[in-house]
Amino acid sequence: MKDQHPPLRCFQDCHNRELFQDDGLQTVTSSDQKRVEESICEVIHAHLKDHRMPRPILLREQHIIYLTDGLQHLSESYETLDASRPWLCFWLLHSLDLLLQPVAPDLASDVCKFISKCQSPTGGFAGGPGQQAHLAPTYAAVNALCVIGTQEAYDVIDREKLLDFLYSLRQKDGSFQMHAGGEVDVRSIYCAASVASLTNIITPDLFEGTCDWVARCQSWEGGMGGVPGLEAHGGYTFCALAALVILEGQQRLNIRALLRWACSRQMRFEGGFQGRCNKLVDGCYSFWQAGILHLIHQILLQAGDPAVGVKGWMFEQRALQEYLLFCCQCPDGGLLDKPGKLRDFYHTSYCLSGLSMAQHFSCASPPRENILGGEENRLQARTHPVYNVNPEKVARALAHFNTLPLHER
């Protein structure tokens, strides 16, 4: 469904009725919420000065320049992200892919060579050359190589040592450490399940007991905490649900309670998502929370639940697009958390991933589109709701690695 220029939600008079009311009891939380809403109103009024009914525009070229420059200077600066350089590779490559901007073959080859230097002799990938192997950059490195999708990229991954690395982090209860001697939470399980499934190294006992451990992380709110007993959180909830989908253990959850929690995280005024109850909107949760709702939709649809619609996701897709396009774009390229924040590659990647999900509904035949602002704002058809990689790149990686033998221990 193409945009027919209906009235924009954030410019309607009734929208003012959605502003936060503190009922006369001011707190730090309520003051912060009001400041965010005021900053969004300033953005809206600035657009109204130039256009009576402005149309949102994706600053595609500015974003491409920002991202390409970051990829070309990957080995320079970024001192604060020295232990996250495979993440930089993934965020940059995935964002360019969503923007339908191909990466030059020589540059892609350079990235493969750099990621290979981050691979530990004992298996897995580190945040940078010579650093300790860690599940988070391992996930990012495998995803980045799958985005590139060449034989050179696939050949970087030492599958046998990767499997040894995963076994070394596995705990008796089915959980995983993030690194040797490191913390245990659902992020590590998702990273392990993701790379193991993409590279075809899942063995019968690698994830024994894992689904039960993850299911215990569902809180009384309906969402998932990082470990059993903690507050529900959008990032942890996505990791938990996506891991269970990979391991075919989603039936262990109370899906209706999870749906209720996830739907409640879209902010009624801003249109974007918050990560937890009583927290502020943040552009990155455009993917984490929309991804959760995407997965829940598919789970309920497969179960034949009559309440599931076939016209759109169970969140307000246009409202999310308005927030991202009006409030989260830096004029010089890159996307950000919320008005007043600085751009960065992390938020650029996850804001674009969320925008892609909001534009495309894949559970209809044929798939439905809801592209706010017109065709010039179109992103990649969608991002994979489990891996957050172009679905065609996921299929290509699975086809490649599934032809390779599985070396069980």
Side-chain angles (χ1 to χ4, degrees):
M1 181 177 65
K2 299 180 181 178
D3 181 54
Q4 300 299 319
H5 314 308
L8 294 172
R9 171 182 173 275
C10 64
F11 295 104
Q12 295 177 16
D13 291 338
C14 66
H15 192 50
N16 290 328
R17 294 200 294 269
E18 302 296 335
L19 288 168
F20 177 77
Q21 301 294 326
D22 62 12
D23 297 324
L25 181 62
Q26 183 173 322
T27 65
V28 173
T29 300
S30 68
S31 297
D32 288 345
Q33 175 63 30
K34 287 184 176 182
R35 277 195 291 270
V36 170
E37 292 180 355
E38 288 168 2
S39 69
I40 291 175
C41 287
E42 291 174 4
V43 171
I44 294 172
H45 292 153
H47 283 289
L48 283 172
K49 286 182 180 179
D50 298 327
H51 308 279
R52 185 180 64 83
M53 190 60 68
R55 295 183 65 201
I57 298 173
L58 176 66
L59 304 177
R60 187 185 302 269
E61 293 305 315
Q62 293 91 321
H63 299 326
I64 289 174
I65 292 171
Y66 170 63
L67 294 162
T68 303
D69 182 68
L71 197 59
Q72 291 173 337
H73 298 89
L74 191 63
S75 61
E76 304 172 13
S77 293
Y78 308 122
E79 293 181 2
T80 59
L81 293 171
D82 183 60
S84 302
R85 291 166 74 184
W87 279 109
L88 290 171
C89 295
F90 170 54
W91 295 331
L92 292 163
L93 289 167
H94 177 56
S95 297
L96 289 168
D97 198 34
L98 287 170
L99 291 165
L100 303 172
Q101 177 64 27
V103 175
D106 56 341
L107 183 54
S109 180
D110 288 343
V111 174
C112 291
K113 292 181 175 65
F114 170 74
I115 292 178
S116 69
K117 295 178 182 178
C118 297
Q119 191 164 208
S120 171
T122 59
F125 293 82
Q131 298 178 23
Q132 182 182 19
H134 191 290
L135 269 176
T138 296
Y139 164 85
V142 170
N143 269 18
L145 293 168
C146 289
V147 173
I148 294 173
T150 61
Q151 187 65 47
E152 179 186 11
Y154 297 148
D155 288 345
V156 169
I157 303 170
D158 188 326
R159 296 168 64 246
E160 291 189 46
K161 289 185 177 179
L162 177 57
L163 181 57
D164 289 340
F165 175 61
L166 295 182
Y167 269 111
S168 73
L169 300 178
R170 173 184 157 77
Q171 305 299 292
K172 292 181 180 180
D173 59 3
S175 62
F176 285 76
Q177 293 178 320
M178 290 297 291
H179 59 86
E183 70 275 26
V184 171
D185 57 49
V186 294
R187 295 173 306 149
S188 55
I189 291 173
Y190 168 63
C191 291
S194 178
V195 300
S197 60
L198 279 174
T199 60
N200 185 34
I201 59 172
I202 293 182
T203 61
D205 63 339
L206 180 58
F207 294 102
E208 185 178 353
T210 300
C211 291
D212 290 333
W213 192 93
V214 174
R216 288 173 28 227
C217 294
Q218 187 165 29
S219 77
W220 62 270
E221 299 170 87
M224 315 288 289
V227 299
L230 290 190
E231 176 187 13
H233 180 285
Y236 288 130
T237 300
F238 172 83
C239 289
L241 181 59
L244 289 176
V245 169
I246 292 172
L247 302 175
E248 300 181 350
Q250 61 268 26
Q251 70 278 1
R252 289 171 168 81
L253 298 180
N254 183 334
I255 295 296
R256 286 303 185 106
L258 177 57
L259 172 62
R260 190 163 54 245
W261 177 85
C263 287
S264 299
R265 303 282 72 77
Q266 188 169 25
M267 309 295 279
R268 64 185 186 184
F269 175 76
E270 300 91 313
F273 285 94
Q274 62 181 184
R276 290 177 285 163
C277 181
N278 289 330
K279 295 296 183 179
L280 302 176
V281 69
D282 186 333
C284 73
Y285 289 107
S286 302
F287 171 74
W288 301 121
Q289 302 287 27
I292 294 166
L293 288 164
H294 187 142
L295 293 173
I296 292 174
H297 199 117
Q298 292 182 321
I299 291 169
L300 294 177
L301 197 63
Q302 291 169 1
D305 194 310
V308 179
V310 292
K311 294 184 179 180
W313 303 122
M314 289 177 283
F315 64 89
E316 224 310 320
Q317 294 173 234
R318 294 179 66 85
L320 179 58
Q321 292 181 67
E322 285 185 33
Y323 176 69
L324 292 170
L325 293 174
F326 282 116
C327 301
C328 294
Q329 294 193 95
C330 174
D332 295 325
L335 289 96
L336 38 95
D337 168 351
K338 59 179 68 67
K341 298 289 186 177
L342 298 176
R343 65 182 181 177
D344 58 68
F345 297 131
Y346 165 82
H347 281 92
T348 299
S349 179
Y350 290 105
C351 284
L352 289 174
S353 294
L355 181 61
S356 175
M357 285 194 163
Q359 289 181 347
H360 304 281
F361 178 70
S362 58
C363 287
S365 184
R368 296 171 60 91
E369 295 181 347
N370 190 342
I371 302 174
L372 189 68
E375 289 297 305
E376 63 271 22
N377 290 346
R378 176 191 295 275
L379 292 180
Q380 176 63 251
R382 63 185 175 96
T383 188
H384 197 288
V386 171
Y387 302 103
N388 194 23
V389 172
N390 179 336
E392 294 181 3
K393 303 288 181 71
V394 171
R396 190 182 306 169
L398 292 173
H400 170 79
F401 289 112
N402 285 347
T403 64
L404 302 180
L406 175 62
H407 299 283
E408 296 187 22
R409 289 170 44 130

